[in-house]
Amino acid sequence: MLKHLQYQEQGQGNIGIRMARCLDRYAPRPRLLIGGDIPDVTTEIVREAFAKLACADLIFGPAEDGGFWVIGQRGPARVGCLFANVAWSGSQTLSATLANVPRIRQVAFASMLMDIDTGRALAAWRQSKG
């Protein structure tokens, strides 16, 4: 572990419940949750995501597998039902989450990246790096 970082327990529940809890905990500050299995994320990509979030309520970074590698939120609004009825780690994860976004909320998108959920995904990522 990196000693200079602050760590927080995720608590109980599925990934949606845990992400909602974290996003709500740090409101109203702009905040990003980044998956731990995203080898191509860089400081510049994170800066770009925060820059886009300055003009939107939510930001998603699509993953090549149909999920998302980052979600961000700004403002005091609670996540609410954003993650209700979302099947996690599937090809429709991002689209199901987007279907839950209230129409009054503005959504931006970060770059598409690959997340490494399986051995096959790791092999594909390694191959893409030559």
Side-chain angles (χ1 to χ4, degrees):
M1 288 210 274
L2 301 173
K3 293 180 182 177
H4 66 282
L5 296 177
Q6 180 183 15
Y7 292 87
Q8 302 251 335
E9 292 292 326
Q10 292 182 5
Q12 299 296 313
N14 68 32
I15 187 69
I17 291 168
R18 290 179 282 149
M19 288 192 304
R21 185 180 301 121
C22 188
L23 288 168
D24 288 348
R25 178 184 297 142
Y26 293 99
R29 297 177 289 190
R31 54 233 182 251
L32 297 178
L33 293 177
I34 300 172
D37 56 352
I38 315 300
D40 291 328
V41 70
T42 64
T43 303
E44 185 58 33
I45 289 172
V46 172
R47 280 190 191 115
E48 289 172 8
F50 270 116
K52 288 181 179 185
L53 187 57
C55 300
D57 300 309
L58 295 164
I59 187 167
F60 291 91
E64 291 182 5
D65 65 0
F68 51 92
W69 64 269
V70 66
I71 180 172
Q73 184 177 6
R74 73 175 171 92
R78 296 288 197 182
V79 170
C81 296
L82 186 62
F83 302 123
N85 302 312
V86 173
W88 299 105
S89 300
S91 62
Q92 301 299 310
T93 300
L94 177 58
S95 61
T97 306
L98 290 172
N100 291 332
V101 174
R103 293 181 189 203
I104 62 169
R105 311 262 333 252
Q106 292 181 311
V107 177
F109 294 93
S111 303
M112 181 178 285
L113 295 177
M114 178 182 274
D115 66 347
I116 309 297
D117 291 333
T118 65
R120 183 179 298 176
L122 178 59
W125 177 78
R126 285 182 174 157
Q127 185 176 7
S128 74
K129 299 302 170 191

